[in-house]
């Protein structure tokens, strides 16, 4: 999401001075919102959770919702960054397992969210598109494996809205897919009706669209805000959708938020 840094007014008293010191390195849109996730796992209710969503940066770091990074190279056309990524959309909690008639028939372990660290490179392409490729390694002890991604995105102005469109694909290793979507022998409760499932390496496709409307609160030029709605979909291939734990292999996320530009 394209962001604009807005300088904050200088404050003299102690409390406002502290806030000014803390907020001064912030840039872009800082917002509160709600995220609804329709899981790929079978018989799991849609979850709606509050979220702090940032599309901007803090000091030398950039922040893109669940991703934070530090640029190590930029020449106007090409760029490279060290990144950290919080993966949550394939997680599965004990409560979700217990509330699902399908999943509770097994003796499943949780599928934890993962903190991944990696490196990405990108390039400005023709026609307004930007390409980006990244390789990520889990460092949190969740899936303990790797993921690679190739994304293309662009920004357009349509009827007063700024539209960010992202399309791409990810490659998940065998260990990755097996952690989230496989079934181990010790998770089988009834060997007559349940089978072990070993998920292999596979791919997923991604589509993300975010529409943002910017406005100035109270008509003040230095008080810029943004309201947005968006969707993010992941479609996994047969290695995931063939799992007895999974429906059609589609993860759907919808989000809405309101925030202030810094």
């Amino acid at each position: 999401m394209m962001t604009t840094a807005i300088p904050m007014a200088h404050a003299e008293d102690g409390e406002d001075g502290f806030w000014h010191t803390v907020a001064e390195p912030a840039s872009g849109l800082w917002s509160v919102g709600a995220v609804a996730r329709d899981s790929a796992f079978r018989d799991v209710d849609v979850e709606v959770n509050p979220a702090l969503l940032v599309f901007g940066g803090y000091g030398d770091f950039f922040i893109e919702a669940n991703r934070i990074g530090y640029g190590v190279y930029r020449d106007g056309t090409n760029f490279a960054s060290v990144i950290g990524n919080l993966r949550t959309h394939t997680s599965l909690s004990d409560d979700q397992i217990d509330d699902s008639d399908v999943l509770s028939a097994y003796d499943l372990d949780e599928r934890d969210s993962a903190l991944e660290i990696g490196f990405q490179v990108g390039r400005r392409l023709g026609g307004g598109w930007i390409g980006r490729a990244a390789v990520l390694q889990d460092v949190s002890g969740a899936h303990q494996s790797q993921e690679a991604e190739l994304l293309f995105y662009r920004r357009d102005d349509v009827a007063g809205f700024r539209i960010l469109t992202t399309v791409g694909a990810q490659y998940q290793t065998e260990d990755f897919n097996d952690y989230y979507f496989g079934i181990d022998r010790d998770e089988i409760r009834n060997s007559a009706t349940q089978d072990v499932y070993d998920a292999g390496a596979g791919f997923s496709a991604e589509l993300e669209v975010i529409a943002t409307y910017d406005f100035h609160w109270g008509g003040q030029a230095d008080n810029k805000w943004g309201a947005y709605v968006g969707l993010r979909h992941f479609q996994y291939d047969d290695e995931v959708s063939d799992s007895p734990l999974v429906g059609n292999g589609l993860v759907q996320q919808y989000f809405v938020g309101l925030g202030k530009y810094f």
Side-chain angles (χ1 to χ4, degrees):
M1 178 179 295
M2 187 175 295
T3 58
T4 303
I6 306 284
M8 297 185 63
H10 182 69
E12 298 295 338
D13 62 79
E15 183 178 351
D16 288 344
F18 173 76
W19 166 248
H20 175 77
T21 301
V22 172
E24 187 176 25
S27 61
L29 182 63
W30 291 63
S31 72
V32 292
V35 179
R37 184 183 73 181
D38 189 1
S39 174
F41 293 102
R42 296 175 61 190
D43 194 30
V44 171
D45 293 335
V46 174
E47 278 193 329
V48 180
N49 293 302
L52 171 65
L53 297 174
V54 178
F55 304 94
Y58 193 79
D60 294 331
F61 293 88
F62 64 84
I63 307 172
E64 302 170 350
N66 64 322
R67 177 166 295 187
I68 185 170
Y70 182 83
V72 296
Y73 178 79
R74 181 178 295 272
D75 63 11
T77 299
N78 304 294
F79 58 88
S81 311
V82 178
I83 56 173
N85 185 74
L86 181 61
R87 161 174 284 276
T88 60
H89 62 272
T90 50
S91 62
L92 182 65
S93 68
D94 283 336
D95 287 341
Q96 289 174 316
I97 295 170
D98 293 341
D99 291 342
S100 167
D101 291 338
V102 173
L103 303 183
S104 62
Y106 295 85
D107 188 20
L108 297 177
D109 297 322
E110 281 187 306
R111 273 55 171 166
D112 293 327
S113 299
L115 175 61
E116 302 167 333
I117 301 295
F119 191 77
Q120 72 177 17
V121 295
R123 179 179 176 85
R124 293 186 178 275
L125 308 172
W129 288 95
I130 299 173
R132 189 173 76 185
V135 177
L136 296 156
Q137 168 68 50
D138 173 37
V139 296
S140 62
H143 59 81
Q144 301 182 45
S145 55
Q146 303 79 38
E147 181 179 20
E149 67 178 17
L150 177 64
L151 301 178
F152 300 93
Y153 60 94
R154 61 177 296 131
R155 301 174 177 91
D156 298 283
D157 294 321
V158 180
F161 289 85
R162 289 186 297 108
I163 309 296
L164 172 65
T165 304
T166 303
V167 294
Q170 291 86 22
Y171 169 78
Q172 290 86 24
T173 64
E174 180 178 352
D175 287 343
F176 180 103
N177 279 343
D178 204 41
Y179 173 78
Y180 285 109
F181 308 111
I183 304 173
D184 294 336
R185 188 167 301 280
D186 60 6
E187 295 181 310
I188 297 294
R189 276 195 172 142
N190 187 341
S191 59
T193 59
Q194 298 172 345
D195 295 315
V196 170
Y197 183 75
D198 295 319
F203 292 89
S204 62
E206 177 181 351
L207 169 66
E208 181 177 38
V209 180
I210 305 175
T212 305
Y213 178 75
D214 296 334
F215 60 97
H216 294 90
W217 203 287
Q220 300 178 20
D222 63 347
N223 194 18
K224 188 177 180 181
W225 292 69
Y228 59 86
V229 294
L231 62 86
R232 195 181 191 191
H233 290 181
F234 297 89
Q235 178 64 62
Y236 289 84
D237 67 7
D238 291 347
E239 290 295 336
V240 171
S241 61
D242 286 347
S243 169
L245 307 180
V246 173
N248 57 12
L250 176 64
V251 179
Q252 303 178 76
Q253 293 187 143
Y254 300 91
F255 46 94
V256 60
L258 173 67
K260 186 180 188 306
Y261 284 98
F262 291 92

